[in-house]
Amino acid sequence: MRTVIRTNFDLCTGCSICQLACSERQTGGYNPRLALLKIRHINEGLIHEPVVCRQCRNPYCQTVCPVDAVGRDEKTGAIIINRDKCTGCGLCAKYCYWGAIYFNKQDKVVMKCDLCGGSPACVEECPTGALELVKVRGDIDNG
Ligand code: SF4
Ligand code: SF4
């Protein structure tokens, strides 16, 4: 079983509390622009859709990385970046269909959601239940 964040766009109000919580936990500052999840505002702002990493079973980010810097956390099943190996080439970000990888200008490496080790701040802080932590089928060792 793997753990993933399920999004319920019909419950999302676009408040961005999840992004504030994520940026604080992952980067140490309250700034939605630094968050590792995004919110798409569509249909003239009628719909707010959280966009999160799918922790894919067959992740393109891992497939295209030329230096084997993308791996999987055995405990949670989250796809994680090895900062010591990452060269910042950006290929993983280019090939992620969901746009779930972000460039860290300061450290010149990429960052992505690692599920906060299994207890994501965004899920904990979302006031409406638009983000849910769920278990899905799929052997984490299968990629
Ligand atoms: S970063 Fe993109 S390709 Fe990689 S696991 Fe997440 S959604 Fe899939
Ligand atoms: S940016 Fe880093 S993790 Fe992404 S493909 Fe390049 S070396 Fe691999």
Side-chain angles (χ1 to χ4, degrees), residues 15-73:
C15 70
S16 291
I17 289 174
C18 57
Q19 292 183 300
L20 291 171
C22 175
S23 64
E24 197 281 331
R25 176 85 62 90
Q26 294 276 359
T27 68
Y30 286 102
N31 185 341
R33 283 181 301 171
L34 300 178
L36 305 180
L37 77 165
K38 295 293 174 229
I39 309 223
R40 285 177 65 218
H41 305 284
I42 48 185
N43 280 12
E44 298 177 344
L46 186 63
I47 293 173
H48 310 285
E49 180 188 27
V51 179
V52 302
C53 170
R54 304 298 176 107
Q55 315 297 352
C56 306
R57 290 188 66 184
N58 181 27
Y60 286 110
C61 58
Q62 185 176 28
T63 302
V64 299
C65 177
V67 295
D68 200 24
V70 184
R72 196 180 288 276
D73 182 314

Side-chain angles (χ1 to χ4, degrees), residues 86-95 101 103 110:
C86 177
T87 63
C89 72
L91 271 180
C92 54
K94 179 178 176 184
Y95 284 97
I101 294 190
F103 193 66
V110 294

Side-chain angles (χ1 to χ4, degrees), residues 1-14:
M1 300 289 273
R2 291 176 300 132
T3 308
V4 300
I5 295 172
R6 179 160 66 200
T7 63
N8 302 294
F9 76 89
D10 51 332
L11 297 179
C12 179
T13 63

